[in-house]
Amino acid sequence: MTLQSSYGLELRRNRTLPQLRDLLSSESLNAKKLIQPIFVSESLKEREEMQSLPGVYRDSKESVLAQIEFDLKSGVKHFLLFLVPGTKSNDSIPKSFYESAIGGIKQRFPEIFLWLDTCLCSLTTHGHCGLLGKKGEIDNASSVVRLSDIALCYAQSGADGISPSDMMDGRVASHRKILDQNGFAHVPVMSYSTKFKSNFYGPFREAAESAPGHGDRSSYQIDVRNREDSILSSIRDAQEGADLLMVKPGITSIDLIQPIRDKTGLPVGAYQVSGEYASLAMLAQNGFCKFEDGLLETWNVFSRAGASYLITYAARRGKEIFS
């Protein structure tokens, strides 16, 4: 491996906690290597079931605590938190909401590993993952600054790990720098390093209130036809200091997991996205398969492809399905 990084490979970040050691062990996928996405919406007073994602909810700051307690009893140790502010803004960060939501979870459950997704799509009025310039184009430089400010706010609020999903150039290096400079050198970055523009994100956009108001995300998410770009994107994030890499959507990126591992030497996970989960649920609802069998089949494929870990909306069922 000839990977060069101005930050170096900070291997100790992935060794410090038992949850990370379990997540990134060389074992095949098992319940300890699954990450459960959760949604907290500032505007909700009580939890709201997602019709498009059976068994998945949008929670309030209060109701999410009961959900995490249930998930812990089901064997989940890792959570990926998506925060949905009540007020959209292109100019400011809702720090009080971020601080209270993250702090409330970590104060109640210090034993969990809490990853925070960093993106602007749930915050901006236009729904894009970055800030817009005067002509309506994505302004990469200002977007990276805002995203890194959010990453620092998350870490200061108690996040255990940062997971940038925006696909702006340079955001991993910027996140690593601001974390290191402010006493959070121990906080790992799990990058959405190979993220395609995909038709499989629909249910998530409903949950996160993140559909773009105009245009699409072709200028910053990867074209599904471009294999070279998809691998280079992960190499770039590794060089910028990412500790974990990820492909998304999972099943349509299955051919990329091992090549990315070979090129970077880093753990590579997969995100079984909302459309993949919903497809299995709909097949099961119509009697075409058993939901648990469909999940296990796909999980075994991810394992066969070399995935170090898996983000899936069914992580809370992992212990039961793997047993």
Side-chain angles (χ1 to χ4, degrees):
M1 185 184 72
T2 59
L3 183 67
Q4 298 295 317
S5 171
S6 59
Y7 293 88
L9 291 174
E10 301 293 343
L11 297 177
R12 288 194 64 249
R13 266 196 293 269
N14 289 344
R15 300 170 181 164
T16 53
L17 294 173
Q19 301 99 315
L20 278 175
R21 295 195 293 271
D22 287 339
L23 187 77
L24 303 178
S25 73
S26 297
E27 301 171 282
S28 298
L29 285 180
N30 57 63
K32 294 180 180 179
K33 298 169 77 65
L34 303 182
I35 300 175
Q36 177 67 52
I38 50 176
F39 300 91
V40 171
S41 173
E42 186 178 21
S43 61
L44 289 179
K45 300 301 180 185
E46 56 186 32
R47 70 189 329 216
E48 176 181 274
E49 186 170 9
M50 292 288 299
Q51 296 302 317
S52 58
L53 294 171
V56 179
Y57 296 82
R58 281 162 35 97
D59 278 291
S60 68
K61 290 188 295 184
E62 293 72 32
S63 68
V64 74
L65 301 178
Q67 180 65 67
I68 293 174
E69 184 174 16
F70 172 86
D71 292 343
L72 271 171
K73 292 177 181 177
S74 300
V76 179
K77 299 295 184 183
H78 287 260
F79 295 84
L80 178 58
L81 176 59
F82 296 92
L83 293 172
V84 185
T87 301
K88 304 287 186 179
S89 174
N90 302 323
D91 304 310
S92 61
I93 298 171
K95 291 187 68 174
S96 60
F97 168 54
Y98 291 166
E99 290 167 351
S100 61
I102 298 168
I105 290 172
K106 285 300 296 182
Q107 183 176 6
R108 176 78 174 272
F109 303 107
E111 71 271 31
I112 71 170
F113 200 98
L114 187 64
W115 298 93
L116 263 293
D117 178 273
T118 59
C119 194
L120 297 179
C121 58
S122 294
L123 175 59
T124 55
T125 60
H126 46 74
H128 277 284
C129 302
L131 300 177
L132 301 184
K134 293 180 180 180
K135 296 181 180 180
E137 79 288 358
I138 293 292
D139 186 328
N140 194 93
S142 64
S143 299
V144 167
V145 172
R146 181 69 54 80
L147 287 159
S148 294
D149 288 343
I150 290 175
L152 178 60
C153 176
Y154 286 167
Q156 290 171 333
S157 301
D160 297 298
I162 300 298
S163 191
S165 66
D166 53 278
M167 293 302 289
M168 299 297 121
D169 289 334
R171 89 270 201 215
V172 171
S174 179
H175 288 10
R176 189 70 270 156
K177 183 177 180 180
I178 199 170
L179 292 171
D180 291 354
Q181 289 178 342
N182 287 275
F184 297 101
H186 62 285
V187 172
V189 173
M190 176 176 68
S191 177
Y192 293 66
S193 56
T194 293
K195 180 180 178 181
F196 290 104
K197 178 180 175 291
S198 174
N199 292 294
F200 287 93
Y201 302 149
F204 170 87
R205 290 175 180 169
E206 179 187 0
E209 301 174 17
S210 63
H214 67 276
D216 61 25
R217 292 168 174 154
S218 300
S219 70
Y220 48 98
Q221 293 181 354
I222 303 170
D223 188 322
V224 71
R225 299 169 296 179
N226 198 329
R227 179 179 177 84
E228 291 76 16
D229 189 10
S230 63
I231 295 175
L232 285 172
S233 182
S234 280
I235 292 174
R236 176 201 61 188
D237 284 7
Q239 290 174 337
E240 290 186 6
D243 302 285
L244 296 78
L245 305 175
M246 185 204 309
V247 298
K248 180 185 180 185
I251 207 68
T252 61
S253 309
I254 206 76
D255 60 310
L256 299 168
I257 295 174
Q258 193 61 51
I260 292 171
R261 289 185 64 167
D262 292 342
K263 293 284 187 180
T264 66
L266 292 181
V268 180
Y271 196 145
Q272 185 175 47
V273 298
S274 60
E276 297 174 71
Y277 177 94
S279 298
L280 291 172
M282 290 177 186
L283 285 171
Q285 287 172 353
N286 287 279
F288 296 121
C289 76
K290 286 185 64 177
F291 187 45
E292 295 81 2
D293 291 348
L295 285 168
L296 183 59
E297 180 178 342
T298 58
W299 293 355
N300 282 330
V301 172
F302 287 124
S303 186
R304 187 186 72 210
S308 300
Y309 62 93
L310 181 64
I311 303 169
T312 171
Y313 294 91
R316 58 177 55 107
R317 305 183 66 172
K319 192 174 181 180
E320 162 199 351
I321 291 173
F322 276 123
S323 62

